[in-house]
Amino acid sequence: MTTAPWRDPALPAAARVDDLLARMTLEEKTAQLYGVWVGAATDGDGVAPLQREMTSEYDWDELIAQGLGQLTRSFGTAPVDPELGAQALARAQRRIAAAGRFGIPAVAHEECLAGFTAWGATAYPVPLAWGASFDPGLVEEMARHIGADLRAVGVHQGLAPVLDVVRDPRWGRVEETIGEDPYLVGTIGAAYVRGLESAGVVATLKHFAGYASSVGARNLAPVRAGVREFADVVLPPFEMALREGGARSVMAAYNETDGVPASADPALLTQLLRADWGFTGTVVADYFGIGFLETLHRVAGSPAQAAHVALAAGIDVELPTLKCYGKPLVEAVRAGVVPEALVDRAARRVLVQKAELGLLDEDWSPEPTERIDLDSPANRALARQLAEESVVLLDNPDGVLPLPAEARIAVVGPRAADALAMLGCYSFPSHVGTHHPEVPMGIEIPTVLESLRAELPDAKVTFAEGCDVSGPDTSGFEEAVARASEADVCVAVLGDRAGLFGRGTSGEGCDVADLQLPGVQADLLDALVSTGVPVVLVLLTGRPYALGRWQGRLGAVVQAFFPGEEGGPAVAGVLSGRVNPSGRLPVSVPHMPGGQPWTYLQPPLGLADEVSNLDPTPLYAFGHGLSYTNFAWEAEDSAKQDLDTDGSYDLTVTVRNTGDRAGAEVVQLYLHDPVASVTRPDVRLIGYRRLELDPGEVSRVTFRFHTDLSAFTDRTGRRVVEPGALELRLGVSSADVRHTARLNVTGPVRVVGTDRRLLCETEVRAQG
């Protein structure tokens, strides 16, 4: 029997929370607005920016006496057995509920960027690999499994996905992004959100907004993005993930844009996010982001001022641990400096979400109800499928791949025999495990070397490391060259080591000055190529690297973006031919390493021309990827079509697998706007469809284009559809167009709002 309206699950969440708030003291309300990070290191290397400086000691019993909003990373801070961790979390939740007057537990959150960041949990491919798959359905299924694992151990909120659009590939966190195109990022990101939310886990969009547009590709640096870049490139993935995915939380970014930190920007966090987009969930701070308003941005002179600025902007929850929203905020409210209404506003949002999660119900129980297996066979099968779909065959000019079954193969390189070569910086072994070398990895991760030997048991496979990932030592070159010289083919496995804050070559805080392969790996590759033996370059990286130095000199090039625990077998399967590669580039691969940080979303002045000697044209374009089979495209030629500024047009192409094996083609639809009132990208992705086809199989795919998809931000800041010529280009990449439909848009300029169409719907029909 319920004792108060706020305990009654039959009432609407808002009504329950109104009743509860009226009963709470100021201290109890503010206690719902911060998290606590149990076990966070206050010395040594951390896993968050300035963790040592920003983390304080506290008395646990005193802290939870008023209640608690969030528990930070019970599983992602140190290695803990999942079963024991779930029991410990349940005990902590019982203790929190017993300490406060209202018995309200905390929301437990964890990182889940490429799988649940916990010891023993499946390490999936990183988001850049999701983008390479061009397969939203598979990403949604992966996220559903991740969400189920989170809920199984008592976690309610996942800090993912990252929806930053790559603007400069030198940025260390490129591996965490889905790619350089907002439509790809938005569609894949929304799919991840749907999967996570379908499991009952609150998905948290990050980093809102502009974080990846930092000057000089430096982490946590100022952003110089203009109004139109912000509106048309940075924001659309977030809008799509909210409208099409249903995300219930957003994380404010660290960066400042044109002098205004995101965490202090009510125009971003309140007007745009809530008033314009209709968001009703919670906004959480990036770790220490509220404190940074005082210490880094210097737009606040004290923790209390930082709390006031952040609350007024629209941040509801301080993460990862309390610094500003605790005693400093209470004292400021008592002094009349901060309106209590701001506390009430944030507390209402937090408590409504807790009500939706069942945390206000009398029958709430934190104890696990199922057997916990965070790396189940089903998880591993999904990790394998996504890894296989994400591997990109960049080049294979002479058919060196697939490798012969009985070949003599020299496997060379610092990434060939290292399990960590498969993982990004937010996988548990790379993120936390490196601080605990005495603890086993917790999951099985076959290396490329092991996988290739298993894949080709009749081949003679030798190995030499050659060099380290980032060190200057070349003493291993001699052995590597000797092994290559004895072989029929050399497989050079090069790339990145994921890490944090300079402890790796890719990852958060691991930004680079140029796009040259780390350390002396480029010199090792030169030495291998000089043997005259065909060299197959395999890249295991978190970003694209410049490969023009070896253009025309390599037998084949295979790109895998940190493909996860099953990445070794996936890469080996592509090399052997068991797997027909179907990945497509979510980021361009440049010719040269320096001076041209570039994405394909360029207006005319960003393209190659006669007035500069620097040619930014990529070596491999966005969307590029080869297959071991062939596809024939047929589309009807048509005269220019007229439609008005609120019109639609269907574009159909028939794709046939003309080869002798099954494969996947990714049909990509690009928009070219020849003349507009502001400069526009020469081409931009507005639709795609992945087609799985058996030999001889034919599919007919129709793209349902609406003029909303041509909208852009004009000089006045309005998003508009303008009359004039448009071209719809069907291609296998942004640079390889197979068919063009020309449209003539007529009528007045049309202003579009948040109800505009965001997706280009597709329909696929099998043909006889």
Side-chain angles (χ1 to χ4, degrees):
M1 181 176 180
T2 58
T3 57
W6 69 271
R7 282 290 197 191
D8 186 356
L11 292 176
R16 297 173 67 184
V17 170
D18 285 342
D19 177 70
L20 177 58
L21 277 175
R23 302 167 185 266
M24 300 177 81
T25 66
L26 173 63
E27 287 80 3
E28 289 168 334
K29 289 184 289 189
T30 57
Q32 295 298 317
L33 308 186
Y34 51 72
V36 173
W37 197 353
V38 178
T42 56
D43 58 357
D45 294 330
V47 296
L50 302 176
Q51 178 178 319
R52 180 174 55 186
E53 293 83 352
M54 299 297 291
T55 303
S56 304
E57 301 291 341
Y58 49 81
D59 182 279
W60 174 251
D61 290 321
E62 179 182 344
L63 180 70
I64 64 174
Q66 305 295 333
L68 183 63
Q70 292 240 357
L71 276 170
T72 294
R73 300 187 68 178
S74 299
F75 293 86
T77 301
V80 57
D81 177 87
E83 293 276 0
L84 298 177
Q87 295 169 16
L89 176 58
R91 287 195 299 271
Q93 290 281 41
R94 289 288 188 196
R95 192 172 169 189
I96 292 167
R101 287 196 303 141
F102 299 99
I104 303 172
V107 168
H109 77 259
E110 292 288 348
E111 297 283 1
C112 55
L113 182 86
F116 182 8
T117 306
W119 187 82
T122 304
Y124 293 94
V126 297
L128 201 58
W130 310 350
S133 77
F134 277 75
D135 192 344
L138 183 58
V139 171
E140 182 174 344
E141 182 64 17
M142 174 196 68
R144 188 174 295 112
H145 280 242
I146 294 171
D149 288 342
L150 290 167
R151 284 310 301 259
V153 297
V155 174
H156 311 98
Q157 183 169 1
L159 303 187
V162 169
L163 298 181
D164 296 299
V165 178
V166 175
R167 302 303 285 160
D168 187 331
R170 298 176 301 173
W171 192 50
R173 303 189 80 167
V174 167
E175 64 174 73
E176 300 178 43
T177 74
I178 295 167
E180 69 183 32
D181 178 85
Y183 188 86
L184 180 65
V185 174
T187 49
I188 297 289
Y192 183 92
V193 169
R194 285 193 298 272
L196 204 65
E197 291 279 357
S198 71
V201 173
V202 175
T204 306
L205 311 181
K206 57 186 191 180
H207 307 87
F208 194 66
Y211 187 40
S213 300
S214 57
V215 173
R218 292 182 63 248
N219 190 47
L220 224 165
V223 168
R224 301 285 187 262
V227 172
R228 270 162 291 284
E229 178 180 344
F230 209 82
D232 294 341
V233 176
V234 172
L235 293 177
F238 292 94
E239 187 177 4
M240 197 175 292
L242 292 173
R243 284 181 51 190
E244 304 293 336
R248 288 183 285 171
S249 188
V250 171
M251 176 180 282
Y254 285 134
N255 58 276
E256 56 104 323
T257 302
D258 197 23
V260 180
S263 297
D265 190 355
L268 178 70
L269 301 181
T270 298
Q271 178 60 47
L272 175 69
L273 181 61
R274 296 190 184 276
D276 296 347
W277 289 356
F279 177 67
T280 60
T282 57
V283 175
V284 302
D286 203 345
Y287 282 15
F288 309 117
I290 296 175
F292 288 164
L293 294 175
E294 176 192 6
T295 60
L296 296 185
H297 293 297
R298 294 187 293 197
V299 296
S302 67
Q305 286 184 10
H308 189 185
V309 169
L311 265 181
I315 295 183
D316 305 310
V317 181
E318 179 178 18
L319 296 182
T321 198
L322 77 162
K323 189 172 184 68
C324 302
Y325 276 14
K327 185 177 180 181
L329 176 57
V330 171
E331 292 177 349
V333 173
R334 296 279 188 221
V337 176
V338 177
E340 190 169 353
L342 291 177
V343 173
D344 291 346
R345 182 178 73 171
R348 179 174 284 103
R349 293 166 181 163
V350 168
L351 290 169
V352 165
Q353 199 154 88
K354 286 192 174 185
E356 293 171 348
L357 291 167
L359 300 181
L360 303 188
D361 298 350
E362 283 186 323
D363 62 354
W364 163 82
S365 173
E367 278 73 26
T369 59
E370 304 174 3
R371 177 180 173 272
I372 296 170
D373 182 359
L374 300 185
D375 191 30
S376 67
N379 283 8
R380 292 198 73 100
L382 270 174
R384 171 75 71 93
Q385 184 180 354
L386 184 53
E388 290 179 351
E389 289 190 9
S390 70
V391 176
V392 185
L393 177 60
L394 295 180
D395 216 349
N396 191 29
D398 300 318
V400 172
L401 295 180
L403 297 173
E406 299 181 358
R408 295 175 300 166
I409 304 170
V411 178
V412 173
R415 301 288 72 196
D418 186 350
L420 290 178
M422 302 297 157
L423 306 182
C425 77
Y426 268 79
S427 65
F428 190 89
S430 296
H431 198 73
V432 179
T434 53
H435 302 292
H436 302 273
E438 75 285 358
V439 177
M441 193 171 294
I443 51 177
E444 180 184 350
I445 307 178
T447 67
V448 170
L449 179 62
E450 293 168 342
S451 301
L452 192 58
R453 282 175 168 158
E455 192 78 37
L456 298 173
D458 295 327
K460 180 182 179 182
V461 179
T462 59
F463 169 67
E465 186 176 45
C467 65
D468 182 45
V469 173
S470 57
D473 187 6
T474 61
S475 61
F477 281 23
E478 183 177 354
E479 182 187 1
V481 168
R483 298 291 81 75
S485 299
E486 299 165 352
D488 300 318
V489 62
C490 174
V491 176
V493 188
L494 311 180
D496 280 316
R497 179 182 64 251
L500 291 163
F501 312 118
R503 302 193 291 271
T505 63
S506 174
E508 184 174 0
C510 297
D511 315 311
V512 295
D514 58 38
L515 296 175
Q516 179 170 277
L517 286 168
V520 294
Q521 292 184 72
D523 296 329
L524 174 63
L525 186 55
D526 281 340
L528 297 174
V529 170
S530 70
T531 64
V533 173
V535 175
V536 175
L537 173 60
V538 174
L539 291 167
L540 301 174
T541 68
R543 62 163 63 83
Y545 283 100
L547 301 179
R549 176 169 168 178
W550 302 281
Q551 185 179 10
R553 301 171 60 201
L554 297 170
V557 183
V558 174
Q559 171 71 65
F561 297 108
F562 290 141
E565 64 182 31
E566 289 288 331
V571 170
V574 168
L575 296 177
S576 73
R578 175 181 56 82
V579 175
N580 192 352
S582 60
R584 302 293 186 265
L585 282 176
V587 285
S588 309
V589 173
H591 269 278
M592 303 307 293
Q596 292 295 305
W598 193 88
T599 77
Y600 92 105
L601 290 175
Q602 295 296 318
L605 289 186
L607 305 176
D609 54 34
E610 298 176 354
V611 297
S612 173
N613 62 306
L614 292 178
D615 184 350
T617 307
L619 181 62
Y620 301 109
F622 173 86
H624 170 77
L626 303 178
S627 172
Y628 292 148
T629 191
N630 298 306
F631 301 94
W633 291 31
E634 296 178 8
E636 296 180 5
D637 292 327
S638 59
K640 182 178 288 188
Q641 298 289 314
D642 292 334
L643 68 160
D644 62 33
T645 52
D646 193 12
S648 60
Y649 174 78
D650 286 359
L651 181 61
T652 299
V653 62
T654 300
V655 180
R656 180 189 303 272
N657 183 346
T658 60
D660 58 3
R661 60 177 299 171
E665 179 73 299
V666 179
V667 183
Q668 302 161 43
L669 178 63
Y670 293 89
L671 178 72
H672 171 68
D673 191 346
V675 178
S677 59
V678 298
T679 63
R680 303 294 298 131
D682 185 57
V683 293
R684 63 182 177 93
L685 186 72
I686 60 168
Y688 61 88
R689 188 61 182 258
R690 181 186 173 94
L691 301 175
E692 305 275 354
L693 299 173
D694 289 329
E697 187 177 3
V698 181
S699 281
R700 186 172 182 263
V701 57
T702 298
F703 291 87
R704 306 200 181 283
F705 169 78
H706 190 277
T707 52
D708 283 358
L709 296 169
S710 71
F712 59 87
T713 304
D714 70 5
R715 300 186 190 193
T716 69
R718 304 175 305 168
R719 182 170 275 109
V720 298
V721 175
E722 289 185 345
L726 291 177
E727 290 183 7
L728 302 180
R729 298 177 176 178
L730 286 168
V732 292
S733 77
S734 58
D736 189 350
V737 175
R738 298 294 173 85
H739 178 73
T740 299
R742 292 173 174 81
L743 307 178
N744 181 41
V745 180
T746 61
V749 172
R750 182 169 65 91
V751 178
V752 299
T754 54
D755 60 345
R756 73 192 186 283
R757 293 167 178 81
L758 299 175
L759 298 176
C760 185
E761 301 293 344
T762 60
E763 179 183 349
V764 176
R765 293 183 179 179
Q767 300 293 292

